[in-house]
DNA sequence: TTACTTATTGAACAAGTGTTCAAGTTATTT
DNA sequence: AAATAACTTGAACACTTGTTCAATAAGTAA
């Protein structure tokens, strides 16, 4: 029976995400996807190509999710908050994990500039989404005119990366979730 | 001639830091340290033991640096700022890199809980240093009485991790350095 | 110098790695 | 049913990896 491509990508992503690109062995993938080496190579090319597919798919899903929350909320700041709360700073089995893109960039930093670029582009894409929403918020009078949407978007990325990185480093998820709210409070106060 | 242990650890750390634990091969280390496999194994045990030594050494150096800046500044907030500016959010060859401990935790997340713990402990140690300095700042009336030094220390770690992670993800070092100052400004304003 | 300890060398090894491909199986078309 | 195409299988291969160890060299003490 032919394999389920979407499911295979999903499972491969989970494994790459958890173990990293280099620590994930083809034999791990064979077991997880329940596919033999020949099938995997016929379907995806090779390990690096499969990883790239996972990276692009993850980035696309993230961007789609942001747009979803934007559509669900008339308040753009609330849209960003919901997106982050549900997609980014969220405990999985009591632990907050890093963004797959950020983790990949970190790992591939000194090794594979090629793969790294895809992850970088994905992050920039989400940042652009933030910027558009902050601009919309400004037009709606929700943040000050003197604030800079592009800069706020960068700041927001920094906050999310910080929270997730910290949550990943320590095992205290609840503190991090609280601090996310504090950060959003400071956003409303200062801008 | 006997090898220079401190220098070897320094060089190994740089390589591990740049490439990560798994991507750094023993043969890379042999070349970088200019030592043959037998010598490295006689001196450090094995790859994992050497990595652990690098991790602990890096953590110790970080903590010593924080104490150094604490001794140099009568203002504890300034001490933290100088430490971060000089040790953490600093462009190396135009690029801001991740903390060695944070990068290692991220990489070893799903693989090696044993090594991971050493990196985690090192981070907690720096956080404790921040907390002590924030407490001192509070006693000196530099931050509000209602502020919580322990929480501020966590927040500070989040900010540093966010800035470095973002600086590492994008290649724009100058923006990040500016945002560090903005973050310290917001600290003075709100607390 | 001689004897002894300590450190270095580099070829070799066993296990693990990503990947291939001829043979077999399942699906689709004629 | 027969022929063709599409997909799957798993043993095998070439290469890389961390690590070992007998032989050698360098340093130290008598």
């Amino acid at each position: 029976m032919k394999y389920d491509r979407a499911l295979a990508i999903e499972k491969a992503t989970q494994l790459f995400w958890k173990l990293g690109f280099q620590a994930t062995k083809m034999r791990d993938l064979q077991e997880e996807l329940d596919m033999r080496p020949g099938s995997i190579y016929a379907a995806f090319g090779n390990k690096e190509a499969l990883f790239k597919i996972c990276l692009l798919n993850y980035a696309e899903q993230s961007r789609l999710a942001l747009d979803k929350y934007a559509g669900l909320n008339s308040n753009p700041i609330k849209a960003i908050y919901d997106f982050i709360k549900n997609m980014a700073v969220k405990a999985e089995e009591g632990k907050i994990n890093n963004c797959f893109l950020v983790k990949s960039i970190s790992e591939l930093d000194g090794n594979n500039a090629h793969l790294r670029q895809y992850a970088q582009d994905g992050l920039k894409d989400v940042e652009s989404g933030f910027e558009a929403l902050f601009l919309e918020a400004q037009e709606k009078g929700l943040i000050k005119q003197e604030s800079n949407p592009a800069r706020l978007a960068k700041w927001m990325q920094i906050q999310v990366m910080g929270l997730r990185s910290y949550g990943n480093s320590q095992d205290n998820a609840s503190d991090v979730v609280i601090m996310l709210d504090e950060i959003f409070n400071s956003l409303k106060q200062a801008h």
Side-chain angles (χ1 to χ4, degrees), chain A:
Chain A
M1 195 184 65
K2 196 166 183 284
Y3 74 104
D4 180 336
R5 188 172 178 88
L7 184 62
I9 292 172
E10 174 60 27
K11 283 183 171 174
T13 302
Q14 291 301 323
L15 206 58
F16 277 133
W17 195 351
K18 184 171 140 207
L19 300 177
F21 174 65
Q22 331 207 40
T24 302
K25 310 304 178 186
M26 284 308 293
R27 279 157 185 79
D28 297 330
L29 288 165
Q30 287 160 32
E31 196 176 350
E32 183 75 16
L33 308 190
D34 192 26
M35 289 170 76
R36 262 35 66 196
S39 294
I40 297 181
Y41 279 81
F44 301 107
N46 59 20
K47 187 186 173 188
E48 186 168 328
L50 173 55
F51 187 77
K52 177 183 158 183
I53 290 168
C54 292
L55 228 41
L56 292 175
N57 181 254
Y58 176 94
E60 189 191 354
Q61 296 302 320
S62 301
R63 186 56 216 251
L64 288 175
L66 180 57
D67 291 344
K68 188 191 86 177
Y69 287 108
L72 252 47
N73 286 100
S74 58
N75 180 339
I77 307 282
K78 183 66 166 38
I80 294 175
Y81 176 80
D82 282 357
F83 170 74
I84 291 170
K85 190 107 177 181
N86 288 297
M87 302 293 294
V89 184
K90 190 184 178 187
E92 303 267 348
E93 296 158 21
K95 204 161 157 308
I96 287 171
N97 59 15
N98 249 318
C99 170
F100 181 39
L101 303 179
V102 173
K103 175 165 177 168
S104 298
I105 288 171
S106 176
E107 182 192 350
L108 301 172
D109 199 6
N111 307 306
N112 194 325
H114 197 239
L115 279 179
R116 196 187 128 97
Q117 189 62 45
Y118 293 105
Q120 243 172 310
D121 293 345
L123 281 178
K124 255 293 170 235
D125 198 29
V126 171
E127 187 178 315
S128 301
F130 285 164
E131 183 178 343
L133 287 166
F134 276 123
L135 184 63
E136 192 188 328
Q138 198 172 39
E139 287 164 350
K140 289 187 174 176
L142 295 166
I143 55 171
K144 295 179 185 166
Q145 282 303 314
E146 68 238 44
S147 293
N148 182 344
R151 195 153 275 272
L152 277 174
K154 279 187 207 296
W155 175 83
M156 196 77 252
Q157 285 278 56
I158 289 170
Q159 299 305 314
V160 174
M161 287 183 192
L163 287 164
R164 294 184 81 166
S165 192
Y166 187 85
N168 185 244
S169 299
Q170 309 297 140
D171 304 296
N172 196 336
S174 57
D175 261 3
V176 175
V177 173
I178 293 170
M179 295 189 103
L180 170 63
D181 284 359
E182 291 181 4
I183 284 166
F184 264 88
N185 282 336
S186 79
L187 169 67
K188 287 165 194 163
Q189 300 251 326
H191 292 93

